[in-house]
Amino acid sequence: SDLISMKFTSPVSLSDKQFIAQSILPGESQAILTLEDGQTIHINKETESLLEKIDGARVHMDSTMLNYQVTSKTVPKNKPVYNKVETPRGGEYALLLSDGTKVHLNAMTSLRFPVTFDNGPRKVELEGEAYFDVVKDETRPFIVQTHLGEVTVLGTAFNINAYTDASVYTTLVHGKVQFSSSSIGTIILSPGEQAVVSANGSEKRMVDLDEYVGWVDGRYVFNNRPLGE
């Protein structure tokens, strides 16, 4: 292979090396939970508690996951009550929704969701990146709303990268999903396919799944990418 020669104009001191090492820290499991009334709860590695019955669900919270457990089969007649989980830069977190669907949130991500789902579609709102493992329910489609459109599924595993300053990348691991918006219509994905949607149009392509969902297992995969990436 080719040799790479690197020349520094000034030496790097020990204090500089220590600063660099301290600046590049691994991500931690942390998030902020916002309740319907605006109350916020900070979740980190020391957090562990049981929030008794929030609007029909018992919520168990620890340092890695928020678990919404339905305690009553009675569906509220008024409109659903929503919670929101947000992860900071360098943070990630997981939650188990009341229907059993598991969501893994990457850094700088926000998910707004009903505390309990009613008999209609199971709809959540995403800003950022998340991996969904959806519990199958043919009578209640699961819908993820993003700033450029929505993804509809019955039961499947998929990843959505939907930060507001970029395109929306929907990557299907298994099952079947469709991305739809008023501007592009509908894109149906099969396993291994990815839909890329922006304000300028859309594209469907085959991808290496590890490159787009490896982060869920703590792996970032780069194949034939420039060093800058």
Side-chain angles (χ1 to χ4, degrees), residues 13-83:
S13 68
L14 178 60
S15 60
D16 290 334
K17 292 178 181 178
Q18 290 173 335
F19 174 77
I20 293 170
Q22 292 172 358
S23 298
I24 307 174
L25 299 174
E28 293 184 354
S29 185
Q30 55 182 316
I32 298 174
L33 170 64
T34 303
L35 306 181
E36 177 78 3
D37 62 4
Q39 178 186 353
T40 59
I41 300 172
H42 290 259
I43 307 169
N44 54 43
K45 59 185 177 182
E46 277 123 25
T47 304
E48 184 162 4
S49 65
L50 181 67
L51 308 179
E52 291 287 346
K53 200 169 181 182
I54 299 179
D55 299 293
R58 176 174 295 177
V59 182
H60 181 262
M61 173 174 58
D62 63 27
S63 61
T64 60
M65 180 178 287
L66 201 57
N67 187 348
Y68 283 75
Q69 302 169 345
V70 177
T71 59
S72 172
K73 293 184 178 180
T74 303
V75 178
K77 293 183 179 179
N78 53 350
K79 69 177 185 177
V81 173
Y82 282 82
N83 283 183

Side-chain angles (χ1 to χ4, degrees), residues 81-99:
V81 173
Y82 282 82
N83 283 183
K84 181 169 67 172
V85 172
E86 301 169 272
T87 55
R89 180 184 294 274
E92 58 182 79
Y93 199 63
L95 63 153
L96 197 65
L97 301 179
S98 61
D99 68 332

Side-chain angles (χ1 to χ4, degrees), residues 75 99 117-123 134-143 152-155:
V75 178
D99 68 332
F117 293 101
D118 58 22
N119 292 324
R122 297 166 289 168
K123 194 165 189 174
V134 178
V135 170
K136 188 173 183 178
D137 186 341
E138 295 183 357
T139 65
R140 298 185 303 165
F142 193 94
I143 299 174
T152 303
V153 304
L154 293 177

